[in-house]
Amino acid sequence: MEVDEVVSLPRLSQVAVCGGTHGNELSGVYLIRELLKAKEKVMEKEVEESVSVLMVLSNPRAMQQCRRYIDTDLNRCFTHATLNGPMSDMAPYEIIRSRELNAMLGPKGSPEAVDLVCDLHNTTANMGLCLITYSDCDWICLHIFRHLQKLMSDIPLRYIHFDISNKESYSLDSVGKHGFAIEIGPQPHGVVRSNIYTLMKAGVQHMLDWVRSFNSGCIFEGGFVDVFTMVKHVDYPRDNETQNITAAIHPQLQDRDFCLLCPEDPLFQTFSGDTLRYKGTEPLYPFFINECAYYEKGIALSLARKRRVMVPAVRVQTEEEQQANKQKFTSEEDD
Amino acid sequence: MEVDEVVSLPRLSQVAVCGGTHGNELSGVYLIRELLKAKEKVMEKEVEESVSVLMVLSNPRAMQQCRRYIDTDLNRCFTHATLNGPMSDMAPYEIIRSRELNAMLGPKGSPEAVDLVCDLHNTTANMGLCLITYSDCDWICLHIFRHLQKLMSDIPLRYIHFDISNKESYSLDSVGKHGFAIEIGPQPHGVVRSNIYTLMKAGVQHMLDWVRSFNSGCIFEGGFVDVFTMVKHVDYPRDNETQNITAAIHPQLQDRDFCLLCPEDPLFQTFSGDTLRYKGTEPLYPFFINECAYYEKGIALSLARKRRVMVPAVRVQTEEEQQANKQKFTSEEDD
């Protein structure tokens, strides 16, 4: 592609904003409730919208108990295998709920799926605001990121990429044609902090504003984005017998998400006071440092490689382009 | 009492240090595990100790699930009424466990109770290190506080007093002849942060050092302590219908525990962005601001009055004084 080429992409008619996928990550829970109230008022006024926005509270039972999940982590249930596997009456609550959400927002991978899913999360890690995606070439996600970065320049924003196929992708946002999680921290789970809530609210509003501008025909200039691609997870040191952890994140690493971790840098401090060092050979960027919910998953932190990605200019497809695409799709189906 | 009078107090022969009373407050859980390991080593060496230290993991089932409690908050189960009420096979786990702990460390209010209970807690509030007690004239607790304050001068230390009778006092530390909670934050529940762990470890070590010095006959000079006496709790604004909270702690109040809150200061920020102000008439000191576990208890923050308390010099009773006291006690019993 040429640098000054403008890529035309299908209209984003349906957007879903989801909160409470983890029932104790409260910014999203309270934001969706607030947006639902605000939407009622807008609907009373019968405002014409260029985009239909669906607000979803994903895991109401976990929200009610202020827990991450009831039976199993809902945000790991959206693989093709889990969504399409056999189903019994004894299935865990989140397995049942993932199918309801897939029916509502998907089906995943189908032309009926909503155009964009934005799923709201919190972390106890000092990560600022992150977009987490499965793609380093989804121009919609990357442009939304650039838009947020431009308008929220007083806080750190990062774009995280999990290099996993659509089939294997497991999170709720993978159900949409495009999708990402907005992850904001630090905030303890079960707590709502005004500053974090306000950031999330601004992020969602800027995202929806971008979608409306895109649908209305604006051209968005291209440019570069730093993409953090996840390389590996690191577990805590553990006692062989009990599997209890024997060390915490080192005080010199704690809260330093996205600061380069070099070989021999302090990694953990054992409960008896010893320092354990990073034994990798490649400097990498740590993130999700000391995330509460990952103790049980065996993740003390994740490590990423940083890469600069060139994002092309984009605009929405014209009606003619859309018609042509539809015909192309139909004739392919006929083949 | 004269200012230069030295108060003599009974020896502290038995001390209990407890962690995991709330199963997701991890500093205490990992510290007690570590101290148990260290104790094994000391016992191998057969070191003669002037004090017998009992390390207790209070709520092992909640610890295993990394939850505050299984059925009900263990640290509200130690009132005389709950400890001595009728008991069924269907009793909540924590009711059963509170009686086991009372048998082990008490019985509460009896001469058999351990001399001192130190119960380890974490909070999501920015409270630094606090001692929480039921007395503003327990010279042992106040002297231990002064000792910690002297040796840990780089962090904020406060002495909190809940003005509740021994009969009504509900927490595990009320089972000992003397008792207090060490509360350290901010730390998300379910997370262990090295800096908070290290503070707690130092606090417990200094406390035990003080007890040993006291038992060995040292005289501890008197002086003043600022005591924060709890006046009242303040709940979040809530929706009449759903009882959901409609506001978070105001960003100007968040993390400002123990900074004087004056009438008309910002208190909450609603989820639609409005500021709600403190309508009290008396300036008071806020603490437990935005503590995770108190959402369900209807407490957004607590408010305290500050008062300066004169603490006399203390020393341990001589053997003669102890004998005289015992005889006095026995002759009172004979009456």
Side-chain angles (χ1 to χ4, degrees):
Chain A
M1 113 198 136
E2 307 255 327
V3 173
D4 51 0
E5 186 186 342
V6 178
V7 176
S8 68
L9 295 167
R11 192 184 173 75
L12 302 168
S13 307
Q14 282 197 305
V15 175
V17 188
C18 310
T21 303
H22 294 134
N24 58 359
E25 299 180 12
L26 297 191
S27 306
V29 171
Y30 288 110
L31 180 55
I32 294 294
R33 282 185 181 148
E34 189 60 29
L35 294 176
L36 283 167
K37 271 196 232 169
K39 203 181 173 187
E40 269 177 34
K41 283 185 198 160
V42 169
M43 283 173 77
E44 281 166 15
K45 290 192 216 146
E46 291 181 23
V47 172
E48 190 83 31
E49 268 276 42
S50 79
V51 53
S52 138
V53 183
L54 200 60
M55 309 291 178
V56 181
L57 290 168
S58 315
N59 195 335
R61 280 187 53 192
M63 280 165 48
Q64 206 191 351
Q65 294 190 30
C66 198
R67 290 166 60 178
R68 185 175 176 86
Y69 55 78
I70 300 296
D71 295 321
T72 189
D73 191 337
L74 176 61
N75 214 32
R76 299 295 178 274
C77 293
F78 295 92
T79 61
H80 272 274
T82 305
L83 287 174
N84 302 303
M87 180 76 162
S88 85
D89 290 350
M90 301 289 287
Y93 167 68
E94 279 82 6
I95 298 288
I96 299 167
R97 183 64 183 150
S98 66
R99 297 193 181 204
E100 291 173 7
L101 290 164
N102 190 45
M104 190 193 299
L105 307 179
K108 174 170 173 167
S110 77
E112 290 77 36
V114 299
D115 298 302
L116 175 61
V117 173
C118 166
D119 194 26
L120 305 175
H121 289 266
N122 291 120
T123 173
T124 59
N126 185 27
M127 281 169 61
L129 191 156
C130 295
L131 259 61
I132 307 183
T133 71
Y134 293 109
S135 170
D136 57 358
C137 58
D138 183 317
W139 308 141
I140 294 293
C141 296
L142 282 156
H143 266 282
I144 289 172
F145 176 75
R146 276 167 56 81
H147 184 68
L148 265 56
Q149 213 173 23
K150 205 167 81 186
L151 295 183
M152 305 174 78
S153 55
D154 49 340
I155 59 144
L157 266 88
R158 279 93 173 201
Y159 190 96
I160 300 175
H161 164 224
F162 280 74
D163 190 10
I164 295 174
S165 71
N166 181 262
K167 207 173 153 187
E168 298 295 318
S169 61
Y170 45 73
S171 57
L172 174 55
D173 50 78
S174 73
V175 169
K177 291 198 185 77
H178 308 269
F180 55 83
I182 292 186
E183 184 78 64
I184 314 190
Q187 180 174 271
H189 300 321
V191 159
V192 55
R193 289 176 64 98
S194 273
N195 60 337
I196 303 284
Y197 172 86
T198 304
L199 280 183
M200 187 175 273
K201 193 173 184 178
V204 168
Q205 279 165 348
H206 295 325
M207 182 271 291
L208 291 175
D209 288 344
W210 186 90
V211 170
R212 288 185 192 104
S213 302
F214 173 79
N215 284 346
S216 75
C218 287
I219 295 177
F220 295 92
E221 281 178 23
F224 290 99
V225 168
D226 283 333
V227 171
F228 291 89
T229 300
M230 201 281 282
V231 175
K232 61 179 170 185
H233 303 303
V234 180
D235 192 11
Y236 293 94
R238 288 177 191 268
D239 182 276
N240 279 338
E241 215 172 295
T242 61
Q243 287 305 304
N244 289 330
I245 66 172
T246 56
I249 293 291
H250 196 280
Q252 285 174 40
L253 177 60
Q254 178 69 50
D255 301 329
R256 292 178 59 81
D257 298 70
F258 299 104
C259 300
L260 197 61
L261 181 75
C262 293
E264 297 304 323
D265 280 352
L267 194 58
F268 297 107
Q269 189 172 61
T270 70
F271 293 128
S272 53
D274 299 325
T275 293
L276 307 179
R277 292 174 183 279
Y278 173 51
K279 291 299 174 193
T281 50
E282 182 189 358
L284 290 169
Y285 292 89
F287 66 103
F288 277 128
I289 298 174
N290 208 352
E291 158 54 37
C292 175
Y294 292 175
Y295 281 66
E296 67 173 27
K297 295 187 200 292
I299 301 174
L301 66 154
S302 300
L303 292 169
R305 208 169 278 136
K306 186 164 82 170
R307 206 164 49 86
R308 186 148 279 198
V309 169
M310 173 65 202
V311 183
V314 297
R315 64 164 172 78
V316 74
Q317 288 176 350
T318 60
E319 280 193 30
E320 293 74 36
E321 286 170 326
Q322 268 183 296
Q323 284 304 326
N325 264 13
K326 263 189 204 161
Q327 279 165 7
K328 193 177 157 227
F329 186 75
T330 315
S331 73
E332 273 169 7
E333 269 188 333
D334 291 345
D335 286 348
Chain B
M1 120 193 131
E2 307 256 327
V3 174
D4 51 0
E5 186 185 344
V6 177
V7 176
S8 67
L9 296 167
R11 192 182 173 76
L12 302 168
S13 307
Q14 282 197 303
V15 175
V17 187
C18 309
T21 303
H22 295 133
N24 59 359
E25 299 181 10
L26 298 190
S27 305
V29 170
Y30 288 110
L31 180 55
I32 294 294
R33 283 186 181 148
E34 189 61 29
L35 294 176
L36 283 167
K37 272 195 230 169
K39 203 181 173 187
E40 269 176 35
K41 283 185 198 161
V42 168
M43 282 173 76
E44 280 165 16
K45 290 192 215 146
E46 292 181 23
V47 172
E48 190 83 29
E49 269 276 40
S50 79
V51 53
S52 138
V53 182
L54 200 59
M55 310 291 177
V56 182
L57 290 167
S58 316
N59 196 335
R61 281 186 54 190
M63 280 165 48
Q64 207 192 352
Q65 295 190 31
C66 199
R67 290 166 59 180
R68 184 174 177 87
Y69 56 78
I70 300 295
D71 295 321
T72 189
D73 191 336
L74 176 61
N75 214 32
R76 300 295 178 275
C77 293
F78 295 91
T79 60
H80 271 274
T82 305
L83 287 174
N84 301 304
M87 180 76 161
S88 85
D89 289 350
M90 302 288 287
Y93 168 67
E94 279 82 4
I95 297 287
I96 298 168
R97 183 63 183 150
S98 66
R99 297 196 180 202
E100 292 172 6
L101 290 164
N102 189 46
M104 190 192 301
L105 307 179
K108 174 169 173 168
S110 77
E112 291 77 37
V114 300
D115 297 302
L116 175 62
V117 174
C118 166
D119 194 27
L120 305 175
H121 289 266
N122 290 121
T123 173
T124 60
N126 185 28
M127 281 169 61
L129 191 157
C130 295
L131 258 62
I132 306 183
T133 71
Y134 293 109
S135 169
D136 58 358
C137 56
D138 183 318
W139 308 141
I140 294 293
C141 296
L142 282 155
H143 265 281
I144 290 173
F145 176 75
R146 276 167 55 81
H147 184 69
L148 265 57
Q149 215 173 22
K150 206 166 81 185
L151 294 183
M152 304 174 79
S153 54
D154 48 341
I155 59 144
L157 265 90
R158 279 92 173 201
Y159 190 97
I160 300 175
H161 164 223
F162 280 72
D163 190 10
I164 295 173
S165 71
N166 181 262
K167 206 171 154 188
E168 298 295 319
S169 60
Y170 45 72
S171 57
L172 174 56
D173 50 78
S174 73
V175 169
K177 292 199 185 77
H178 308 269
F180 55 82
I182 293 187
E183 184 78 64
I184 313 191
Q187 180 174 272
H189 300 321
V191 159
V192 55
R193 290 175 63 99
S194 274
N195 59 337
I196 303 284
Y197 173 85
T198 304
L199 280 182
M200 188 175 273
K201 194 173 182 176
V204 168
Q205 280 166 346
H206 295 325
M207 181 270 291
L208 292 174
D209 288 344
W210 186 89
V211 170
R212 289 185 192 105
S213 302
F214 173 79
N215 284 346
S216 76
C218 286
I219 295 177
F220 295 93
E221 280 178 24
F224 290 100
V225 168
D226 283 334
V227 171
F228 291 89
T229 300
M230 202 281 283
V231 175
K232 61 179 170 184
H233 303 303
V234 180
D235 192 10
Y236 292 95
R238 289 178 190 268
D239 182 275
N240 278 339
E241 216 171 295
T242 62
Q243 287 305 305
N244 289 330
I245 66 171
T246 56
I249 293 291
H250 195 280
Q252 284 174 42
L253 177 60
Q254 178 69 51
D255 301 329
R256 292 177 60 81
D257 299 71
F258 299 104
C259 300
L260 197 62
L261 181 75
C262 293
E264 296 304 322
D265 280 352
L267 194 58
F268 297 107
Q269 189 171 61
T270 70
F271 293 128
S272 54
D274 298 326
T275 293
L276 307 178
R277 292 174 182 279
Y278 173 51
K279 292 298 173 194
T281 50
E282 182 188 358
L284 290 169
Y285 292 88
F287 65 104
F288 276 129
I289 298 175
N290 208 353
E291 157 55 37
C292 175
Y294 292 175
Y295 281 66
E296 67 173 27
K297 296 187 199 290
I299 302 174
L301 66 154
S302 301
L303 292 169
R305 209 168 278 137
K306 187 165 82 170
R307 205 163 50 85
R308 187 147 279 197
V309 169
M310 173 65 202
V311 182
V314 297
R315 63 164 172 80
V316 73
Q317 287 176 351
T318 59
E319 279 192 33
E320 294 74 38
E321 285 170 327
Q322 268 182 297
Q323 284 304 327
N325 264 16
K326 263 189 204 158
Q327 279 167 6
K328 192 175 158 229
F329 185 74
T330 315
S331 72
E332 274 171 6
E333 269 188 334
D334 290 345
D335 286 348

